[in-house]
mmCIF file of all heavy atoms in Angstrom:
data_model
loop_
_atom_site.group_PDB
_atom_site.id
_atom_site.type_symbol
_atom_site.label_atom_id
_atom_site.label_comp_id
_atom_site.label_asym_id
_atom_site.label_seq_id
_atom_site.Cartn_x
_atom_site.Cartn_y
_atom_site.Cartn_z
ATOM 1 N N ALA A 1201 -18.805 106.729 147.422
ATOM 2 C CA ALA A 1201 -19.181 107.869 148.351
ATOM 3 C C ALA A 1201 -17.991 108.852 148.568
ATOM 4 O O ALA A 1201 -16.842 108.306 148.462
ATOM 5 C CB ALA A 1201 -19.655 107.361 149.651
ATOM 6 N N SER A 1202 -18.228 110.032 148.822
ATOM 7 C CA SER A 1202 -17.075 110.950 149.041
ATOM 8 C C SER A 1202 -16.749 110.938 150.367
ATOM 9 O O SER A 1202 -17.511 110.401 151.382
ATOM 10 C CB SER A 1202 -17.562 112.382 148.682
ATOM 11 O OG SER A 1202 -18.311 113.016 149.599
ATOM 12 N N ALA A 1203 -15.667 111.648 150.745
ATOM 13 C CA ALA A 1203 -15.023 111.698 152.123
ATOM 14 C C ALA A 1203 -15.905 112.453 153.047
ATOM 15 O O ALA A 1203 -15.883 112.319 154.253
ATOM 16 C CB ALA A 1203 -13.667 112.268 152.181
ATOM 17 N N GLY A 1204 -16.843 113.215 152.442
ATOM 18 C CA GLY A 1204 -17.785 113.971 153.265
ATOM 19 C C GLY A 1204 -19.080 113.311 153.709
ATOM 20 O O GLY A 1204 -19.928 113.826 154.159
ATOM 21 N N VAL A 1205 -19.125 111.913 153.423
ATOM 22 C CA VAL A 1205 -20.404 111.216 153.603
ATOM 23 C C VAL A 1205 -20.831 111.177 155.071
ATOM 24 O O VAL A 1205 -22.018 111.158 155.344
ATOM 25 C CB VAL A 1205 -20.251 109.776 153.118
ATOM 26 C CG1 VAL A 1205 -19.428 108.964 154.025
ATOM 27 C CG2 VAL A 1205 -21.564 109.068 152.969
ATOM 28 N N GLY A 1206 -19.923 111.444 155.990
ATOM 29 C CA GLY A 1206 -20.270 111.447 157.478
ATOM 30 C C GLY A 1206 -21.210 112.638 157.836
ATOM 31 O O GLY A 1206 -21.843 112.606 158.864
ATOM 32 N N LEU A 1207 -21.276 113.573 156.931
ATOM 33 C CA LEU A 1207 -22.219 114.778 157.097
ATOM 34 C C LEU A 1207 -23.560 114.608 156.624
ATOM 35 O O LEU A 1207 -24.383 115.497 156.721
ATOM 36 C CB LEU A 1207 -21.519 116.001 156.542
ATOM 37 C CG LEU A 1207 -20.156 116.445 157.123
ATOM 38 C CD1 LEU A 1207 -19.523 117.593 156.171
ATOM 39 C CD2 LEU A 1207 -20.345 116.902 158.551
ATOM 40 N N ILE A 1208 -23.814 113.414 155.822
ATOM 41 C CA ILE A 1208 -25.180 113.200 155.413
ATOM 42 C C ILE A 1208 -25.972 112.386 156.452
ATOM 43 O O ILE A 1208 -25.523 111.231 156.749
ATOM 44 C CB ILE A 1208 -25.091 112.325 154.032
ATOM 45 C CG1 ILE A 1208 -24.279 113.313 153.079
ATOM 46 C CG2 ILE A 1208 -26.445 111.977 153.585
ATOM 47 C CD1 ILE A 1208 -24.047 112.592 151.757
ATOM 48 N N ASN A 1209 -27.084 112.855 156.876
ATOM 49 C CA ASN A 1209 -27.865 112.094 157.957
ATOM 50 C C ASN A 1209 -29.258 111.809 157.595
ATOM 51 O O ASN A 1209 -30.053 111.434 158.417
ATOM 52 C CB ASN A 1209 -27.748 112.717 159.302
ATOM 53 C CG ASN A 1209 -28.049 114.327 159.254
ATOM 54 O OD1 ASN A 1209 -28.902 114.713 158.343
ATOM 55 N ND2 ASN A 1209 -27.395 115.080 160.067
ATOM 56 N N GLU A 1210 -29.630 112.212 156.309
ATOM 57 C CA GLU A 1210 -31.069 111.892 155.940
ATOM 58 C C GLU A 1210 -31.195 112.012 154.470
ATOM 59 O O GLU A 1210 -30.405 112.670 153.805
ATOM 60 C CB GLU A 1210 -32.005 112.960 156.717
ATOM 61 C CG GLU A 1210 -31.721 114.409 156.140
ATOM 62 C CD GLU A 1210 -32.631 115.411 157.021
ATOM 63 O OE1 GLU A 1210 -33.799 115.029 157.161
ATOM 64 O OE2 GLU A 1210 -32.188 116.422 157.213
ATOM 65 N N ILE A 1211 -32.171 111.260 153.971
ATOM 66 C CA ILE A 1211 -32.502 111.359 152.520
ATOM 67 C C ILE A 1211 -33.688 112.412 152.424
ATOM 68 O O ILE A 1211 -34.747 112.315 152.994
ATOM 69 C CB ILE A 1211 -33.039 109.948 152.027
ATOM 70 C CG1 ILE A 1211 -32.089 108.842 152.458
ATOM 71 C CG2 ILE A 1211 -33.295 109.950 150.581
ATOM 72 C CD1 ILE A 1211 -30.710 108.881 151.831
ATOM 73 N N ILE A 1212 -33.364 113.428 151.482
ATOM 74 C CA ILE A 1212 -34.293 114.528 151.359
ATOM 75 C C ILE A 1212 -34.413 114.699 149.781
ATOM 76 O O ILE A 1212 -33.659 114.315 149.061
ATOM 77 C CB ILE A 1212 -33.764 115.715 152.148
ATOM 78 C CG1 ILE A 1212 -32.404 116.091 151.625
ATOM 79 C CG2 ILE A 1212 -33.811 115.579 153.541
ATOM 80 C CD1 ILE A 1212 -31.722 117.386 152.273
ATOM 81 N N PRO A 1213 -35.339 115.547 149.428
ATOM 82 C CA PRO A 1213 -35.561 115.944 148.070
ATOM 83 C C PRO A 1213 -34.272 116.756 147.581
ATOM 84 O O PRO A 1213 -33.694 117.517 148.397
ATOM 85 C CB PRO A 1213 -36.814 116.744 148.047
ATOM 86 C CG PRO A 1213 -37.543 116.357 149.223
ATOM 87 C CD PRO A 1213 -36.511 116.136 150.221
ATOM 88 N N ALA A 1214 -34.013 116.651 146.322
ATOM 89 C CA ALA A 1214 -32.921 117.419 145.784
ATOM 90 C C ALA A 1214 -33.134 118.863 145.989
ATOM 91 O O ALA A 1214 -32.214 119.730 146.271
ATOM 92 C CB ALA A 1214 -32.766 117.106 144.260
#
Side-chain angles (χ1 to χ4, degrees):
S1202 81
V1205 71
L1207 297 171
I1208 298 173
N1209 52 33
E1210 59 183 329
I1211 308 300
I1212 56 178

